[in-house]
Amino acid sequence: GSSISTNTTYIRNPGFPSSYTPTATGSCAYTIKKAQDDICQLRLDFQTFSGLATSTTVGMCTDYITVAGQTGKNPPSICGTNTGYHMYAEFGATSTDTATVTFTYGSITTAKNFN
């Protein structure tokens, strides 16, 4: 993971636009810093988002993305195919508040593709 503080930043799977199949389970987190002090929300646009595996149990994900801000009012974790959708997360009111985007891989057999 890394720290991001510029507007219009792309988080892509390794080798994008080719898909990516991880060799181990785990997670990767990105800390998003405000580009300006008066920003209060983060918008994530999923131009490509597929292959984050769902479980055989309805409503459960094997692979998923979570977004957490400082307010505790976070969007739900998502998985599956979300190409063309977007999500908002709250940063918080102070200039130093951040949001964290975390990809968690529980499946090493499903190819993932995100941008």
Side-chain angles (χ1 to χ4, degrees), residues 58-78:
V58 174
M60 300 296 290
C61 301
T62 305
D63 305 317
Y64 52 92
I65 180 177
T66 57
V67 184
Q70 304 292 310
T71 65
K73 298 176 183 172
N74 301 318
S77 299
I78 60 170

Side-chain angles (χ1 to χ4, degrees), residues 5 32 68 78 83 98 113:
S5 60
I32 314 296
I78 60 170
T83 298
T98 61
N113 197 338

Side-chain angles (χ1 to χ4, degrees), residues 10-88:
Y10 292 86
I11 299 174
R12 296 176 168 158
N13 64 271
F16 184 85
S18 297
S19 60
Y20 164 70
T21 303
T23 57
T25 60
S27 62
C28 182
Y30 298 88
T31 301
I32 314 296
K33 298 177 181 178
K34 293 181 177 189
Q36 294 175 222
D37 292 350
D38 62 346
I39 292 174
C40 59
Q41 289 184 324
L42 169 69
R43 177 176 164 146
L44 297 171
D45 292 304
F46 303 115
Q47 293 177 340
T48 304
F49 188 102
S50 64
L52 274 74
T54 56
S55 171
T56 54
T57 305
V58 174
M60 300 296 290
C61 301
T62 305
D63 305 317
Y64 52 92
I65 180 177
T66 57
V67 184
Q70 304 292 310
T71 65
K73 298 176 183 172
N74 301 318
S77 299
I78 60 170
C79 61
T81 299
N82 290 281
T83 298
Y85 290 98
H86 63 268
M87 138 187 323
Y88 287 94

Side-chain angles (χ1 to χ4, degrees), residues 94-106:
T94 67
S95 63
T96 57
D97 284 346
T98 61
T100 303
V101 177
T102 304
F103 289 88
T104 300
Y105 305 124

